[in-house]
Amino acid sequence: MQLETLNVSLQDHIATVRLNRPDKANAMNAAMWQDIRRAFDWVDAQPEARVAVLEGEGRHFTAGIDLSMMMGLAPQIQDPCDGRTREALRRVILDMQDTLTSLERCRKPVLAAIHGACVGGGIDLICAADMRYCSADAYFSIKEIDIGMVADVGTLQRLPKIVGSQGLVRELAYTGRRVEAAEAREIGLVNRVFDGREALQAGVHEVAAAIAGKSPLSIRGTKEMLNYARDHSVADGLNYIATWNAAMLMSEDLTQAMMAGKATPSFRD
């Protein structure tokens, strides 16, 4: 898949989506916001892709939103009517939110492999992934507070459900302080910390390969159920999984897994 700001590849059922503006620390410009959504819509639609790995080229995962993009917003939304100008800005924000929600909406699990800086919009981005892993040199910051704005594309909504502490999220959001890799692991922001970038890539691809070997239908259903359960009551979640499995349980994947015994089952995409 050819995109302006990302490299996307697919091998052994693993799609790798790499942020590719290394000379700008992978700052998220207007083109990248659109490319991210295109990439994960493609992963979702591509039968051979069973899992995705999101990583960054160069020294840093991402420096967050490109400030030149923010500075260029005013002329794009300007209207003689103040109400229409503000309506246009709201639509821009909603569109950016939808870009990151594309990771969550993608039926295949998304694993974020983070090295170096992951700040501002980068936090919004990784919070929409299924799991996060980092190298020992990684650091994180909800940087929006330092430029006089409220983080508005997912961090404040998703991060509390990842780390499980309102107090901690408020501290990070109010201060913008830097969270090093060890603390990120301690608070549950990342699943694991690897010694370096090569170890990070190898370790995350090992996890991705394990996921790719499972029933694709069951993996997609498991992601759907986990996302639903996070945002609904236990009773609602139980009701939904009953309906889901009434429709999906009796699949050829189930038969393959049951008949494989000690052998490794093989599943269709």
Side-chain angles (χ1 to χ4, degrees):
M1 189 182 188
Q2 299 299 315
L3 295 170
E4 180 182 340
T5 65
L6 307 180
N7 283 336
V8 181
S9 60
L10 176 59
Q11 185 175 1
D12 299 329
H13 300 293
I14 301 171
T16 301
V17 178
R18 185 175 295 113
L19 309 181
N20 191 33
R21 296 187 74 214
D23 56 323
K24 301 294 185 181
N26 293 322
M28 301 161 70
N29 64 356
M32 183 179 284
W33 285 90
Q34 298 305 315
D35 283 352
I36 288 170
R37 179 163 47 204
R38 291 189 189 103
F40 284 99
D41 285 351
W42 180 84
V43 171
D44 178 75
Q46 192 70 20
E48 293 86 355
R50 298 185 180 183
V51 59
V53 174
L54 173 64
E55 56 190 37
E57 191 64 72
R59 293 182 56 227
H60 298 290
F61 179 75
T62 179
I65 190 169
D66 192 321
L67 294 182
S68 64
M69 173 187 166
M70 291 186 64
M71 298 299 291
L73 273 179
Q76 297 176 36
I77 63 174
Q78 194 62 46
D79 189 280
C81 171
D82 188 55
R84 285 174 171 80
T85 297
R86 296 176 187 280
E87 180 188 40
L89 178 56
R90 180 176 184 270
R91 288 178 63 82
V92 169
I93 296 169
L94 288 172
D95 187 64
M96 293 171 68
Q97 290 175 353
D98 185 74
T99 285
L100 302 191
T101 298
S102 69
L103 279 69
E104 205 169 69
R105 191 166 56 231
C106 177
R107 293 170 300 153
K108 290 62 178 290
V110 179
L111 286 62
I114 303 138
H115 72 286
C118 178
V119 301
I123 305 293
D124 298 288
L125 176 62
I126 66 169
C127 283
D130 289 81
M131 296 101 82
R132 289 146 296 278
Y133 303 85
C134 75
S135 56
D137 70 336
Y139 63 91
F140 307 83
S141 171
I142 304 175
K143 201 67 176 170
E144 287 87 346
I145 197 66
D146 289 336
I147 59 171
M149 68 172 287
V150 179
D152 58 0
V153 287
T155 290
L156 303 184
Q157 292 71 37
R158 293 186 173 104
L159 187 58
K161 295 181 179 181
I162 293 170
V163 304
S165 168
Q166 274 281 339
L168 179 57
V169 172
R170 288 168 189 260
E171 176 189 322
L172 300 180
Y174 296 157
T175 66
R177 74 169 177 83
R178 182 162 153 163
V179 174
E180 304 291 344
E183 184 182 1
R185 172 66 183 89
E186 182 182 339
I187 66 177
L189 176 58
V190 299
N191 289 23
R192 202 178 312 168
V193 177
F194 294 88
D195 288 339
R197 188 176 174 189
E198 288 186 8
L200 168 68
Q201 291 178 332
V204 171
H205 276 75
E206 183 178 345
V207 176
I211 294 170
K214 307 300 183 184
S215 155
L217 187 63
S218 298
I219 290 291
R220 295 193 294 264
T222 298
K223 177 166 181 174
E224 175 82 12
M225 291 307 115
L226 286 169
N227 285 348
Y228 186 88
R230 178 196 61 195
D231 299 328
H232 295 79
S233 69
V234 172
D236 287 343
L238 289 170
N239 185 63
Y240 189 19
I241 185 58
T243 303
W244 182 276
N245 264 359
M248 306 292 186
L249 180 63
M250 305 307 292
S251 69
E252 64 182 53
D253 289 23
L254 179 68
T255 303
Q256 287 279 1
M258 296 289 285
M259 293 183 65
K262 295 183 178 180
T264 302
S266 178
F267 302 106
R268 281 200 300 122
D269 293 328

